[in-house]
Amino acid sequence: MSPSVRLQEMIRVIRGARTQGEERGVIQRECAAIRAQFRQADNGTRSHNLAKLLYVHMLGYPAHFGQMECVRLIASPRYNEKRVGYLGAMMLLDEKQDASLLITNSIKNDLSHSSQYVQSLALCTLGCMGSAEMCRDLAPEIDRLLRASNSYIKKKAALCAVHIVRKVPELGELFTPASRSLLSEKNHGVLHGAVVLITELCERNPETLEQFRKAVPELVQIMKGLVMSGYSPEHNVAGISDPFLQVRILRLLRILGRNNETASDAVNDLLAQVATNTDSSKTAGSAVLYETVLTVMDIKSESGLRVLAVNILGRFLLNNDRNIRYISMTSLQKIVQTDHNAVQRHRGTIVDCLKDQDASVKRRALELSLALVSAVNIRSLMKELLLFLSSCPPELRAHTTSGIFNAAERYAPSQRWHIDTILHVLTTAGGDVRDETVPNLIQLITTATELHCYTVHKLYRALIADISVQSLVQVACWCIGEYGDLLLRGECEETEPVQVAEDDVLDALETVLQSHMSSPATRGFALTATMKLSTRITHNVDRIRSIVSIYGSCIDVELQQRAVEYNALFKKYDHMRAAVLERMPVIDKSSPGHTNGESAGGSIKEMEPTKRTQEVVLPQEPANQVCDLLDLLGGSGEPPQPSPALSTTALGPVSSTAGGDLLDLLGGLDAPLDHVTRPGKTLGPNYRLFMTFVSHSYPPQSVQLQMKAPSGDVIPAHGLGQVTQTVLLNNPNKVSLKMRVRVCYTSQDFVCQDTVQIDSFPSPAW
Amino acid sequence: MPIRQMHFLLLLSRQGKLRLQKWFTPVTEREKKKVTREMTLMVLARPPHSCNFLLWRDLKIVYKRYASLYFCCGLEDQDNELLTLEVLQRYVELLDKYFGNVCELDIIFNFEKAYFILDEFLVGGELLETSKTAVGIAMEEAETLQETMEEYMSKPTY
């Protein structure tokens, strides 16, 4: 009975199991039997039992109890057992297991065995899983075998040496002399192993690299021999003689020629020869050509050769084989910076690859297309990219949108084109854009002053068509709120004007407000826009009033707060409403704060990224409420009262003993500033100054508070400067006051808050 | 900076069963299972006629389907993917020559032979032999060393 039937029998039984449970049962039984067999004395079945165990291991079951058996079998004199033992060692033992050390001695003995097949087992195992210790131990043996043995052993010893060098780089010196002489071997296997070993040695040791530069002519000769040689059946692959060896030699030449004129010169001719003579109709030839191109681009080659290389890549782009198109684009990506013009010539083909069915090819084509965008081709290329966006796979959408935005920002030929492009992206893929897109677009719109009418018309049309894309809806609401008057005027130069009535516009905004699809941030936009329209329309202000008052009891706290504040604006502060809601000034792009669209709480707060403007919100009525927040606005033009003003400085330590007239609002900021170098705090879009009155008799209606604009935008780090904001308190009844002050600001893209309580004001102040 | 040719070579069946695994770097059992699972998911999901190259973690994955088996290997960034396709092709040819019209069942029932052939072809992730015939010759000669059962029992134990 041939011994391996038992193994195959077991495999058959396992495969016959109908359920996972049944399979587990069979395997448990078998493993128990195997364990028992391992414990017994030698009965001729050890190797088969181990083989069975290895099969079970491959199915995913634990097999660690076989490790010692591997050690035992490796030490056996029988070839069969050694063979399976070594296989087991490679599968079950790795350098992390202690048992792997136990086989070191056996390997050492087997390396000098009389049979080359036993030697080969030892070499293969050492080259696969040898630990650093084992490598150190056995390196001299390997060196010996590199020099004096037959080709079968030499080639294995070479790759074993490669493994040793990877594990213990210092041993590289040991192998250098032997590897040099291996280059004169005729056997391809040995030659290949030698080239791999030399490559490894040169990569790790610059001195060795210098030494082997002298071998360049020899390598060139070998390569020439391969390229020009006749047909060799043993090594021929699709007309190429030993493409594997050719590629490795090319790679070694690349390493030797890098940053070295002489070596590069010596290989120029060879590379040209290979490039022109290699038949690339099949993969083997293409592989060699590919390696040639990589080598040309990496060494100091003549410009003519570089052009040839790029042309080869261009030819690859037209190849029917997807794989070849893929690697061509990978290579072009690597050189697009250095040889930009050469790659530009192939732009058309690259853009065509955007339409390929395969996801890998599409991804490469996208990367390369984005790298090729320039001022010259922006219009045509953007058309292609937008077309791509409408049908691109979901995993690429976010990358595509951000790539398009970057390109548009750098090379936009006109503002109108820029706005159109962004709007197109938002309509097609608005769900996949980054958060900063909304404030960026708003900023762009405000700067394009001549296009306000055009923009608001376009956005209005987009809004009534579809309110599901949040980013688009937010921008649309903002625009309508801001430029609604232009919309209602019914005339526009750049595009067909819409004829809308005020009710239509309010309907649109209300739809957004009420829709389930709108996120809380979007509804905030819509509400604010509605409010802003109150100064831009003439007939329907009451409707706005009622909308605003309805949302005063909305469940969403943010929305409710806004509604209540706007309500108050209608009721008590109607005289200020027009000024508060007037047209925004142009936003300065250079203020870093404005691009910050992410607030700490996650919801996008008021998207009015101006430097100065804040909103007026005034105290609420409930008598027992102590912590109502006042959001105060400066710059409304009221003349300062003759009562003394409180100056506040923005930096410096909190002095709770309010010494003197100086009260510091931004107290407690020293600690963070000490540790980190900060570029300074920007009073960006999230800048708010909250001041609350803390008192027993509330509200102190007699007290009036007026805040002026802060003196600057940015507080430099490390206390190198300050921003002053003047607050005027009018306290005619001389009520004693405590105030809680909270400042919100932006620092390095984080929204921060600081709170300070002022318990007493200097008495002469009143 | 190591430029390993290959990190691993896996043979997966169409149902996602592992038929052969060779790891060229030291990897824990747990990690091996994880990588195998991920490869299975990725590679089996690819539509036919796709590009044979994928990016995964920091490796390039080259895979090729032969009948019901997916041959799948993980390479370093420096490697030549087209050449790796040729390496996979060569391995299949070697199996075919040895087994005579190889199919998945051959590899299932004779997995240890598949490994022996692989070990005559790749060592430490690098190509060992580029000749089409040398591997087959080595396998034949090694097999003459395989003792029959009688010889087995009569040899002294260690």
Side-chain angles (χ1 to χ4, degrees), chain A residues 444-461:
Chain A
L444 182 62
I445 291 173
T446 58
T447 51
T449 36
E450 328 75 60
L451 294 170
H452 286 168
C453 189
Y454 167 75
T455 314
V456 74
H457 273 92
K458 263 202 107 146
L459 281 167
Y460 177 75
R461 284 204 178 91

Side-chain angles (χ1 to χ4, degrees), chain A residues 21 69 98 124-125 177 205 301 326-327 381 409 470 502 540 635 654 710:
Chain A
E69 193 65 14
D98 295 327
C124 182
T125 308
N205 189 329
S301 40
Y326 179 94
I327 57 110
L381 198 46
E409 190 154 317
Q470 298 305 295
E502 295 176 358
N540 268 323
V654 128

Side-chain angles (χ1 to χ4, degrees), chain A residues 260-324:
Chain A
N260 186 291
E261 292 277 352
T262 346
S264 301
D265 280 338
V267 301
N268 259 313
D269 284 342
L270 172 68
L271 293 174
Q273 195 176 17
V274 175
T276 36
N277 283 340
T278 308
D279 170 21
S280 62
S281 50
K282 292 280 164 67
T283 313
S286 304
V288 173
L289 266 186
Y290 178 43
E291 195 72 31
T292 312
V293 166
L294 290 179
T295 305
V296 167
M297 303 315 290
D298 215 5
I299 66 173
K300 293 182 179 300
S301 40
E302 307 169 340
S303 58
L305 199 51
R306 284 183 92 89
V307 169
L308 179 60
V310 177
N311 286 345
I312 292 176
L313 290 178
R315 245 185 22 235
F316 276 177
L317 272 181
L318 298 167
N319 196 304
N320 279 331
D321 189 338
R322 277 213 173 94
N323 295 328
I324 294 182

Side-chain angles (χ1 to χ4, degrees), chain A residues 179-187 191 218 222:
Chain A
S179 50
R180 182 73 181 78
S181 48
L182 284 176
L183 278 182
S184 32
E185 294 272 339
K186 293 280 170 271
N187 178 296
L191 215 40
E218 200 174 341
I222 298 172

Side-chain angles (χ1 to χ4, degrees), chain A residues 436-639:
Chain A
E436 303 90 81
T437 314
V438 172
N440 282 349
L441 180 54
I442 289 177
Q443 187 272 331
L444 182 62
I445 291 173
T446 58
T447 51
T449 36
E450 328 75 60
L451 294 170
H452 286 168
C453 189
Y454 167 75
T455 314
V456 74
H457 273 92
K458 263 202 107 146
L459 281 167
Y460 177 75
R461 284 204 178 91
L463 187 66
I464 52 179
D466 175 19
I467 58 168
S468 59
V469 180
Q470 298 305 295
S471 44
L472 188 58
V473 171
Q474 285 171 8
V475 178
C477 288
W478 189 90
C479 266
I480 292 173
E482 193 67 10
Y483 309 121
D485 46 329
L486 298 176
L487 187 62
L488 292 165
R489 219 183 285 158
E491 55 188 40
C492 181
E493 287 173 358
E494 309 259 351
T495 181
E496 185 70 36
V498 283
Q499 304 298 332
V500 288
E502 295 176 358
D503 266 323
D504 298 326
V505 179
L506 289 174
D507 281 342
L509 289 174
E510 239 189 314
T511 317
V512 174
L513 264 176
Q514 292 166 351
S515 164
H516 293 301
M517 290 191 279
S518 301
S519 72
T522 310
R523 295 169 82 194
F525 270 90
L527 188 61
T528 306
T530 311
M531 185 62 190
K532 283 198 216 171
L533 283 177
S534 70
T535 53
R536 289 158 174 78
I537 61 176
T538 42
H539 306 303
N540 268 323
V541 184
D542 280 332
R543 183 174 169 184
I544 297 182
R545 249 190 262 265
S546 69
I547 293 176
V548 159
S549 87
I550 288 171
Y551 278 89
S553 39
C554 173
I555 274 186
D556 183 309
V557 174
E558 168 75 22
L559 225 47
Q560 184 193 112
Q561 174 168 351
R562 286 182 193 224
V564 169
E565 292 169 1
Y566 296 154
N567 224 9
L569 197 55
F570 268 124
K571 295 210 165 71
K572 288 182 79 174
Y573 296 90
D574 206 40
H575 52 283
M576 284 161 64
R577 184 162 54 91
V580 166
L581 299 177
E582 70 181 5
R583 186 81 97 231
M584 289 280 186
V586 171
I587 299 159
D588 184 6
K589 185 72 193 274
S590 64
S591 109
H594 93 277
T595 56
N596 176 18
E598 291 149 329
S599 63
S603 63
I604 302 172
K605 286 206 142 213
E606 194 54 50
M607 294 319 297
E608 301 191 4
T610 60
K611 291 191 270 194
R612 272 152 236 276
T613 328
Q614 299 152 51
E615 289 186 14
V616 178
V617 174
L618 293 150
Q620 319 213 24
E621 293 308 350
N624 298 330
Q625 281 280 40
V626 170
C627 294
D628 296 321
L629 298 172
L630 300 164
D631 198 1
L632 297 170
L633 177 69
S636 53
E638 285 199 10

Side-chain angles (χ1 to χ4, degrees), chain A residues 10-127:
Chain A
M10 181 197 80
I11 296 175
R12 220 181 308 268
V13 172
I14 291 174
R15 282 170 62 77
R18 273 163 304 190
T19 65
Q20 184 77 352
E22 208 178 315
E23 181 184 281
R24 249 199 307 271
V26 169
I27 286 177
Q28 268 173 0
R29 274 199 303 279
E30 285 289 341
C31 283
I34 292 169
R35 271 182 139 117
Q37 295 274 359
F38 283 169
R39 280 194 288 266
Q40 278 180 21
D42 175 31
N43 53 11
T45 60
R46 282 157 71 202
S47 62
H48 301 294
N49 284 319
L50 184 58
K52 282 193 211 172
L53 187 59
L54 293 179
Y55 181 80
V56 161
H57 169 73
M58 196 153 56
L59 290 178
Y61 294 89
H64 42 269
F65 59 89
Q67 287 175 4
M68 283 315 292
E69 193 65 14
C70 295
V71 176
R72 252 175 261 134
L73 282 177
I74 286 172
S76 153
R78 300 185 194 140
Y79 179 70
N80 247 10
E81 296 187 340
K82 270 195 204 288
R83 212 180 188 193
V84 179
Y86 274 117
L87 178 62
M90 284 192 273
M91 282 176 77
L92 300 180
L93 299 174
D94 58 37
E95 58 185 49
K96 298 198 170 97
Q97 319 284 349
D98 295 327
S100 62
L101 283 176
L102 297 172
I103 63 175
T104 314
N105 216 31
S106 296
I107 293 182
K108 195 175 198 155
N109 291 335
D110 285 339
L111 283 175
S112 332
H113 201 277
S114 50
S115 161
Q116 66 177 14
Y117 293 101
V118 174
Q119 282 179 305
S120 123
L121 290 176
L123 281 170
C124 182
T125 308
L126 183 61

